Amino acid sequence: MAEQPCLAPAASPPRRGTAPHPGPTAGPAPPGPQTHPRDKWSKKMDFLLSVVGFAVDLGNVWRFPYICYQNGGGAFLIPYTLMAVFGGVPLFYMELALGQFHRTGAIPIWKHICPIFKGIGFAICIIGLYVSFYYNTIIAWALYYFYSSFSGTLPWASCDNPWNTPDCTNYFGKSNVTWTNFSRSPAEEFYTRKVLEIQKSGGLYDVGGIHWQLLLCLFLIFTIVYFSLWKGVKTSGKVWVDAAAQIFFSLGPGFGVLLALASYNHFHNNCYRDALVTSAVNCLTSFLSGFVIFTVLGYMAEMRDVEVEDVARDKGPSLLFITYPEAIANMVGSTFFAIIFFLMMITLGLDSTFGGLEAVITAVMDEYPQVLAGRRELFVLGLITVCFLGSLGTLTYGGAYVVKLLEEFGAGCSILAVVLLETIAVSWFYGIQRFSHDVKAMLGFTPGMFWKVCWVAVSPALLAFIVISSLLDQPPLTLFDYQYPEWSISVGYVIGASSFICIPFYMVYKLVWTPGSLKQRLAICIRPEKTTRDPQAEAVRMSPVL
């Protein structure tokens, strides 16, 4: 992780994983162009590393390889690439441009675009909280593995441990080993019976008590997150639906992170190039992870004398905590490589956590500067406390079932619907010509026809297709042979709807409290309230950053 400079209240840059916070203000900002400077990145690399750190996360390591294999292996790269070109990258570019031009967070930015869609900002913040409830627990699991790796023999390398069962079968370095449907590898039993202790849970009906070792790991993770966000860090069809969902979740448009990070850019920063570079790094990282995991899965299937699909039975982080550790345990110098691998997992996860929570922090602080200005430390402490308390359910013996439920519904279809409405609001209501004019004011050139067509038609159509397909085709939810009960699926839909419902609620609120006739109210609610700054004045004050 690259070293980042420290933040100063007025004009010093934000650090990686952390955006700067505004200094104390006397009251609400007056209308018209901004009268006080907003903090900016001092170096282009700081911003680029922050965006890459958010986009390249744990999902690149396990989600892409699994979905790629599930949908035909190499053939999956065709729809994946097309979805990236026509969906993911254009929306990635759009969010960077929006954040850089308007230079504000995900909630207040909508009064400069289309005020009636302001509920999108609140929905983004709620989704960010749901993600933090389970994502940091996955990082805590990685921290547990990291600590367990400091041993002469890795604890998941043999079946001679107290937590192992008679079904534990170790085939590495042995011959004539029979693998049956009941066989479990040492890595799988370490993950399920030692790390999760899932055998002490009867499912969502009986999740059991809290695993105190994981509680300590999560507390340490949130402590790191708090001090990083407060002070900053110095180190730090079905196939097409799956392809589209993977590229949108991987690049991350709609989470508010790109808006937040780009809002601290210099006005003339080349966000177009940033979008292309970051997207390329993200996709190449996914491809590399795919090559590695396919090699490992093939070798494991050969050693067990079973099919590859029997090796990768459980979708999700299981690949991260079973397949990779099992491969590492069979390597020369396994202890060293295990330490390095899980350290990488922790840093990958922390980067994304920094970005996700910073999006919430920037959005709320920019929306309520008169209340929160000068109180960032207290606000971040309160936010981290809420996230920690919300994560307690994932630390129980049945916590893995809760993680799976939040992963599927907390930021599933709801984030795609949010991105769809965001695209419609910008392209159709704010206007593609006005948005193109904003981009030209920053970069000196107008987006080409390809980008305009994607923003207006192709990307919204793809997103609508994904959302509808996801709602119509909901496969049964299972984990470790556990079938989720029907009531839990209903709870999942409530979780997903609880964030999205902010959008229509705010629309009704805005229409009711806006004076005038219905026609006048609609006209006011879809018209930008004011411009953030005078672009010509910015052009005079700043030179282009290349």
Side-chain angles (χ1 to χ4, degrees):
M1 298 177 68
E3 183 172 329
Q4 303 295 326
C6 295
L7 258 180
S12 58
R15 272 169 295 188
R16 181 164 167 231
T18 290
H21 55 282
T25 58
Q34 289 181 341
T35 57
H36 59 85
R38 185 177 179 87
D39 296 322
K40 302 179 182 71
W41 304 96
S42 65
K43 295 185 297 183
K44 177 64 173 286
M45 191 56 65
D46 295 345
F47 165 72
L48 200 58
L49 288 177
S50 295
V51 176
V52 170
F54 164 71
V56 179
D57 67 347
L58 297 177
N60 292 73
V61 180
W62 60 262
R63 194 173 191 275
F64 173 83
Y66 180 89
I67 292 180
C68 186
Y69 169 76
Q70 190 181 44
N71 292 283
F76 175 78
L77 299 181
I78 298 175
Y80 177 84
T81 303
L82 292 177
M83 288 295 178
V85 171
F86 293 103
V89 178
L91 296 181
F92 194 91
Y93 178 20
M94 171 185 282
E95 281 211 357
L96 287 182
L98 286 172
Q100 183 170 307
F101 183 83
H102 296 286
R103 296 168 68 185
T104 189
I107 297 177
I109 194 174
W110 291 101
K111 62 186 176 184
H112 309 307
I113 299 174
C114 188
I116 200 172
F117 283 96
K118 191 175 182 179
I120 290 177
F122 292 104
I124 287 173
C125 292
I126 294 176
I127 291 173
L129 289 178
Y130 287 152
V131 172
S132 72
F133 291 166
Y134 75 86
Y135 192 82
N136 290 286
T137 298
I138 297 177
I139 305 175
W141 296 345
L143 180 60
Y144 189 98
Y145 269 84
F146 177 72
Y147 167 78
S148 302
S149 299
F150 287 89
S151 60
T153 302
L154 294 177
W156 59 85
S158 69
C159 295
D160 303 324
N161 303 289
W163 58 82
N164 291 128
T165 67
D167 292 328
C168 183
T169 305
N170 187 5
Y171 53 85
F172 285 127
K174 299 179 180 180
S175 58
N176 299 325
V177 174
T178 302
W179 189 271
T180 69
N181 292 333
F182 299 101
S183 298
R184 297 293 181 265
S185 68
E188 182 174 353
E189 291 205 342
F190 177 79
Y191 175 56
T192 58
R193 301 183 60 84
K194 177 60 176 176
V195 179
L196 302 180
E197 295 191 39
I198 205 166
Q199 72 276 9
K200 298 180 180 180
S201 168
L204 290 176
Y205 289 104
D206 178 24
V207 294
I210 292 180
H211 194 323
W212 69 267
Q213 292 98 330
L214 294 182
L215 180 66
L216 291 179
C217 290
L218 185 67
F219 181 80
L220 180 57
I221 291 297
F222 272 118
T223 301
I224 296 172
V225 171
Y226 171 70
F227 285 106
S228 299
L229 293 176
W230 174 37
K231 293 292 185 183
V233 290
K234 292 190 177 182
T235 55
S236 13
K238 188 64 174 67
V239 175
W240 290 85
V241 171
D242 282 344
Q246 171 60 25
I247 193 65
F248 284 121
F249 285 129
S250 182
L251 287 176
F255 285 94
V257 179
L258 305 179
L259 291 174
L261 297 180
S263 71
Y264 301 102
N265 272 336
H266 290 271
F267 186 69
H268 294 290
N269 173 68
N270 193 339
C271 58
Y272 171 68
R273 183 172 57 193
D274 294 342
L276 296 181
V277 170
T278 305
S279 301
V281 171
N282 179 277
C283 293
L284 290 175
T285 303
S286 296
F287 293 163
L288 178 61
S289 300
F291 295 145
V292 173
I293 197 66
F294 290 156
T295 303
V296 172
L297 289 176
Y299 175 73
M300 292 170 60
E302 177 67 21
M303 294 293 294
R304 297 179 182 184
D305 193 24
V306 296
E307 298 296 326
V308 175
E309 55 264 28
D310 294 326
V311 177
R313 289 178 297 181
D314 294 306
K315 176 182 178 181
S318 300
L319 278 178
L320 188 63
F321 296 107
I322 296 177
T323 306
Y324 283 107
E326 191 166 331
I328 291 173
N330 195 43
M331 298 171 62
V332 177
S334 57
T335 297
F336 171 77
F337 286 108
I339 293 172
I340 296 300
F341 176 78
F342 287 108
L343 179 62
M344 179 190 72
M345 291 296 99
I346 294 170
T347 55
L348 279 177
L350 285 176
D351 266 350
S352 296
T353 289
F354 294 157
L357 291 181
E358 185 59 54
V360 178
I361 295 169
T362 300
V364 177
M365 292 195 67
D366 283 353
E367 176 66 9
Y368 306 105
Q370 66 275 21
V371 177
L372 297 175
R375 299 183 177 92
R376 178 184 174 96
E377 293 85 355
L378 290 176
F379 175 67
V380 173
L381 179 60
L383 177 64
I384 294 298
T385 302
V386 170
C387 294
F388 180 77
L389 294 176
S391 303
L392 291 180
T394 65
L395 301 177
T396 59
Y397 298 127
Y401 302 130
V402 182
V403 168
K404 180 73 171 181
L405 191 68
L406 289 173
E407 178 195 343
E408 288 290 326
F409 295 100
C413 190
S414 56
I415 192 64
L416 295 175
V418 165
V419 178
L420 171 61
L421 291 182
E422 177 184 323
T423 309
I424 291 174
V426 174
S427 301
W428 299 1
F429 288 86
Y430 185 69
I432 198 64
Q433 294 305 322
R434 180 184 297 177
F435 177 63
S436 298
H437 176 77
D438 295 345
V439 174
K440 184 177 181 181
M442 294 187 295
L443 307 184
F445 58 86
T446 303
M449 184 57 65
F450 168 79
W451 301 106
K452 294 180 182 180
V453 172
C454 286
W455 290 330
V456 172
V458 179
S459 295
L462 290 176
L463 285 166
F465 170 70
I466 299 167
V467 171
I468 295 173
S469 300
S470 299
L471 292 175
L472 295 179
D473 182 20
Q474 181 64 44
L477 198 59
T478 60
L479 181 67
F480 302 130
D481 300 324
Y482 173 75
Q483 181 77 38
Y484 279 69
E486 289 296 327
W487 66 264
S488 66
I489 305 301
S490 300
V491 170
Y493 281 121
V494 171
I495 292 173
S498 64
S499 57
F500 184 79
I501 201 69
C502 294
I503 301 174
F505 274 6
Y506 187 84
M507 288 180 174
V508 173
Y509 164 80
K510 186 70 175 176
L511 287 172
V512 169
W513 287 97
T514 300
S517 64
L518 180 59
K519 184 177 181 180
Q520 291 172 332
R521 294 178 184 186
L522 285 173
I524 293 173
C525 290
I526 64 175
R527 185 172 62 242
E529 293 180 6
K530 62 181 180 179
T531 56
T532 312
R533 75 183 66 72
D534 181 359
Q536 293 182 348
E538 286 280 2
V540 172
R541 290 200 302 270
M542 289 188 255
S543 59
V545 178
L546 302 178

